[in-house]
Amino acid sequence: MTHGVSAGNGSSRFVVVGCGTVVPESDRACSAYWLESGPIRLLLDCGPGSLQAMARTGLPWHAVTDLALTHFHADHTGAIPGLLFALTYGLLPDRRIEPLDVWGPPGTAEFFEHLSDAYGEFVLDPGFEVRVHETVAGGSNELGTEVALRTHSTPHTDESRALRIELPEQTIVYTGDTGPSDSLPGFCSGAELLVCECSLPDSHAIETHLSPGSVARLAAAADPEILLLTHVYPQFRLAADVPRLVSEAGWPGQVELAHEGWTRRFST
Ligand SMILES: [Zn+2]
Ligand SMILES: [Zn+2]
């Protein structure tokens, strides 16, 4: 497995767009992540504030080819109408013609129909094709010829999913929102980068979110090269050294706290 700053014939990159929670914060958008590999420009979740964060971090938001959703909570989906509105009218006098593939859990097609009813026809008919694919947990989906997207149910909402993106030489897993799960470590294993929620302190651990103890157990079983903590409530993050708590809870490997613009490049 190779990684590092790209050299030679191509590169992939993962960029944190938004790593916040439902709580409004001045320095971070709600959940959104950008993964680029070859012709694929994949946005993982599209929470409030993520369009402005893509602009701040210099990401080519207008070139997005795929949108993958973990679940329908507003902090993960709230900017979808704005994204489609921007793709419809934000490029004038040019118009986008490339299709957008949307990958989401069961209910995604109905979710987009409701958005269209509320915001207007541009949601599903923005002048280019919006292709909504409802993924099957445990199944694998091909994005282009070299990227595979796999999904796994998580204990958070009925539809919530973790996402595993397999590039030609690297694997990235994003837990989305999840509680502790016996089956999640297997789904995460072999990942070079594990983007893992760590919402709450152990003293407030609940069944639908992770805390340092459950994150450390997941990481120790999955053994990623890098553990990136995200979706940390500010009441927790601003009062504690969260990566250190995860280390002390039993994860001896590399662990970092996500911030807007955090980037990992992979050579291919
Ligand atoms: Zn969330
Ligand atoms: Zn959620």
Side-chain angles (χ1 to χ4, degrees), residues 23-28 232-242 257:
V23 184
E25 295 183 80
S26 62
D27 63 345
R28 58 198 63 214
V232 185
Y233 273 68
Q235 300 93 318
F236 176 30
R237 178 174 57 80
L238 298 173
D241 182 343
V242 180
L257 188 63

Side-chain angles (χ1 to χ4, degrees), residues 42-263:
L42 168 64
L43 185 63
L44 305 167
D45 284 341
C46 188
S50 55
L51 304 186
Q52 291 75 12
M54 283 192 281
R56 277 195 298 274
T57 48
L59 291 171
W61 58 268
H62 50 83
V64 61
T65 60
D66 296 81
L67 169 64
L69 302 175
T70 58
H71 63 303
F72 303 137
H73 275 165
D75 58 318
H76 297 251
T77 60
I80 290 173
L83 174 65
L84 287 160
F85 208 49
L87 292 173
T88 306
Y89 298 114
L91 303 173
L92 295 177
D94 294 334
R95 298 298 294 254
R96 177 186 171 113
I97 56 171
E98 295 80 10
L100 176 70
D101 285 293
V102 178
W103 308 88
T108 300
E110 186 180 5
F111 182 76
F112 271 69
E113 283 162 16
H114 288 318
L115 290 177
S116 181
D117 288 345
Y119 285 97
E121 291 181 352
F122 72 88
V123 170
L124 285 170
D125 188 16
F128 55 88
E129 208 178 345
V130 177
R131 304 188 292 219
V132 177
H133 313 269
E134 296 189 348
T135 61
V136 178
S140 182
N141 309 275
E142 301 299 320
L143 280 59
T145 57
E146 294 193 338
V147 177
L149 170 70
R150 294 175 55 205
T151 66
H152 184 81
S153 287
T154 65
H156 180 69
T157 62
D158 286 346
E159 81 283 2
S160 59
R161 300 284 189 266
L163 305 178
R164 179 183 177 101
I165 303 101
E166 298 176 345
L167 308 181
E169 297 201 41
Q170 293 89 17
T171 295
I172 293 111
V173 176
Y174 165 40
T175 62
D177 286 0
T178 183
S181 157
D182 290 341
S183 59
L184 198 52
F187 182 72
C188 299
S189 76
E192 177 155 351
L193 173 62
L194 174 56
V195 183
C196 186
E197 78 122 284
C198 188
S199 296
L200 299 166
D202 287 326
S203 58
H204 291 74
I206 57 176
E207 292 184 349
T208 53
H209 280 298
L210 298 179
S211 60
S214 50
V215 169
R217 284 192 292 280
L218 169 60
D223 197 25
E225 287 194 28
I226 303 175
L227 174 64
L228 184 67
L229 305 176
T230 193
H231 200 282
V232 185
Y233 273 68
Q235 300 93 318
F236 176 30
R237 178 174 57 80
L238 298 173
D241 182 343
V242 180
R244 184 174 170 181
L245 291 177
V246 171
S247 297
E248 290 175 352
W251 165 241
Q254 184 176 350
V255 53
E256 297 186 24
L257 188 63
H259 59 80
E260 181 178 302
W262 187 98
T263 299

